[in-house]
Amino acid sequence: MIITVLCFTVVGIAQRTAIDAAFDTAVQQGFSGVLLVAKNGKPIANRVAGYRHFETQAPLQLSDVFELASVSKQFTAMAIMMLQEEGRLQYDDSLSKYIDLPYNGITIRQLLNHTSGLPDYQAVMDAHWDKSKVAGNEDCIRLLRQYQPSMLFTPGAQYRYSNTGYLLLASVVEKVSGKDFISYLQQRIFTPLKMQQTAIRTLEAKAATINFAAGHLKDSTGAYINANKFHSSDYTVWLGNRKGPGRISSTAADLLRWDKALYKNKLVQHSTLQQAFTPATLNNGQLSMYGFGWEIETHPVLGNIVKHNGDNPGYSTQIIRCVDKRYTVIVLCNNAHPSFRTLLSNIMQALAAEESK
């Protein structure tokens, strides 16, 4: 019995060493961010390096708040699933039942799994919106209605990642619930799960959040500066009131609370949640490996995996849930460093190596 315990201890140390080595290598290459790896909901590695603000060299902390970007989509999908479970909408309802748009034959399900064929709302806004004003969902919907850009394909014909779809889903939540989307998430998800650092924050709220990790990009000299100073980031201001595709900011610890809540079915029943982790079926019968706010894949060692990444100016984010082996990997980066992808790959290799023993 003692030998067994010692073997498990050695294996745990080897795994932690491999994860630490992957993180240290990324840091040496310039990575700035937080890493949290958990097994059965308990952290086995929690590391931080880099700066909250590169200009002042204020160091990052494990508890710092990051923009999640498109990792936010899983929360939008959860809001829809909660309303579906309550019988207030159905996945195969027509979008036109809730939102007046010149696009027919689109269902809530197709919005969830990116098979709607809708055009990009941001392209319409970029071409026609007065950028001295801050746009929200209603503004985006109004311009889609006004200019009517063409559909990209017949609904259900193919997968094509769509921020438009998730913006519309947030508006559906508001229509059905009678609540502002931000308030709905706060009241129904963040507060019940004690995700106290998680919110959809305005620019003013971010500035007032002491532990908010700013996103950074390199300037022409190679120095990291606040990403908001780049012209390419302007859309985050003039589209600053949109809801659904992104804009949630959170911490690694709060995302682990979210992860654990999903295993315990705290928000919806197991059968409802499993639909989020089920591939979409296209019109031709082929499968698309995206569910409701989650990418889906199968690893030869780690089994079923659901995950999502996010990219905002200066930010790269990822949550990976190995649902069979109960590993969770959360990486939040605030300088969009190229080593981000390699770090994720090396961590997954370390987890697979452990399970192969």
Side-chain angles (χ1 to χ4, degrees):
M1 195 68 181
I2 295 175
I3 294 174
T4 302
V5 171
L6 287 175
C7 286
F8 278 119
T9 302
V10 170
V11 168
I13 292 172
Q15 183 184 63
R16 173 59 192 266
T17 299
I19 293 171
D20 281 343
F23 185 79
D24 291 340
T25 297
V27 172
Q28 290 167 9
Q29 294 171 350
F31 173 89
S32 176
V34 172
L35 164 69
L36 193 159
V37 182
K39 172 76 169 177
N40 295 318
K42 297 181 179 180
I44 56 177
N46 200 3
R47 299 288 305 277
V48 61
Y51 299 109
R52 181 186 294 164
H53 300 286
F54 274 74
E55 294 91 335
T56 64
Q57 294 198 330
L60 274 174
Q61 305 293 328
L62 290 171
S63 57
D64 279 357
V65 175
F66 290 72
E67 282 286 355
L68 297 186
S70 286
V71 172
S72 304
K73 287 182 171 65
Q74 57 204 251
F75 297 97
T76 304
M78 176 58 74
I80 291 288
M81 288 189 287
M82 294 170 77
L83 290 170
Q84 188 275 338
E85 192 169 273
E86 293 167 3
R88 303 177 72 178
L89 59 75
Q90 298 300 320
Y91 297 135
D92 293 318
D93 284 347
S94 173
L95 171 63
S96 60
K97 181 177 179 179
Y98 306 100
I99 307 292
D100 179 21
L101 279 172
Y103 305 109
N104 298 317
I106 297 170
T107 65
I108 299 299
R109 185 186 304 274
Q110 289 164 343
L111 298 179
L112 286 164
N113 54 40
H114 298 292
T115 60
S116 69
L118 282 165
D120 180 17
Y121 78 89
Q122 190 167 328
V124 178
M125 298 300 286
D126 191 33
H128 302 289
W129 181 249
D130 177 359
K131 297 178 180 60
S132 67
K133 301 176 181 178
V134 180
N137 285 29
E138 284 303 315
D139 301 304
C140 297
I141 292 170
R142 178 167 53 81
L143 264 65
L144 282 170
R145 191 182 298 131
Q146 178 178 352
Y147 292 99
Q148 303 185 23
S150 299
M151 291 281 289
L152 303 178
F153 52 84
T154 301
Q158 59 180 275
Y159 166 91
R160 183 161 175 172
Y161 193 82
S162 173
N163 284 315
T164 304
Y166 272 74
L167 179 139
L168 293 172
L169 286 171
S171 293
V172 169
V173 170
E174 293 184 330
K175 179 77 172 181
V176 174
S177 69
K179 296 181 179 179
D180 175 75
F181 181 72
I182 296 174
S183 299
Y184 186 90
L185 292 189
Q186 198 67 53
Q187 295 169 13
R188 298 295 306 277
I189 300 178
F190 303 151
T191 297
L193 299 186
K194 296 182 171 55
M195 298 173 68
Q196 296 178 355
Q197 295 293 313
T198 304
I200 296 179
R201 293 171 166 89
T202 63
L203 290 174
E204 294 77 16
K206 293 175 190 176
T209 302
I210 296 174
N211 64 326
F212 198 92
H216 297 85
L217 295 171
K218 284 185 177 181
D219 65 11
S220 58
T221 70
Y224 280 110
I225 63 173
N226 192 303
N228 290 338
K229 296 180 180 179
F230 289 81
H231 178 64
S232 60
S233 302
D234 289 350
Y235 76 92
T236 63
V237 177
W238 55 264
L239 285 174
N241 288 336
R242 71 201 187 289
K243 295 168 281 190
R247 283 194 62 214
I248 293 175
S249 50
S250 186
T251 65
D254 268 7
L255 287 176
L256 185 59
R257 291 184 180 93
W258 162 248
D259 168 70
K260 290 191 287 187
L262 296 179
Y263 283 117
K264 296 178 180 178
N265 306 317
K266 287 189 174 183
L267 299 175
V268 293
Q269 299 174 17
H270 177 74
S271 58
T272 299
L273 184 61
Q274 286 309 111
Q275 294 188 64
F277 304 149
T278 301
T281 302
L282 302 177
N283 294 344
N284 62 6
Q286 293 183 349
L287 295 182
S288 170
M289 302 307 287
Y290 193 103
F292 298 170
W294 293 94
E295 302 168 38
I296 303 163
E297 65 180 43
T298 302
H299 189 280
V301 176
L302 298 172
N304 292 315
I305 292 175
V306 294
K307 63 182 185 178
H308 212 290
N309 70 305
D311 291 287
N312 255 29
Y315 294 98
S316 296
T317 61
Q318 181 90 49
I319 180 170
I320 302 172
R321 304 179 69 241
C322 305
V323 293
D324 293 334
K325 300 297 184 179
R326 294 294 182 101
Y327 286 110
T328 306
V329 178
I330 298 164
V331 181
L332 306 176
C333 172
N334 72 326
N335 66 340
H337 198 272
S339 65
F340 176 83
R341 295 295 171 198
T342 304
L343 171 60
L344 285 170
S345 177
N346 289 341
I347 290 171
M348 297 304 288
Q349 288 179 27
L351 300 184
E354 180 72 16
E355 293 299 321
S356 298
K357 292 181 179 180

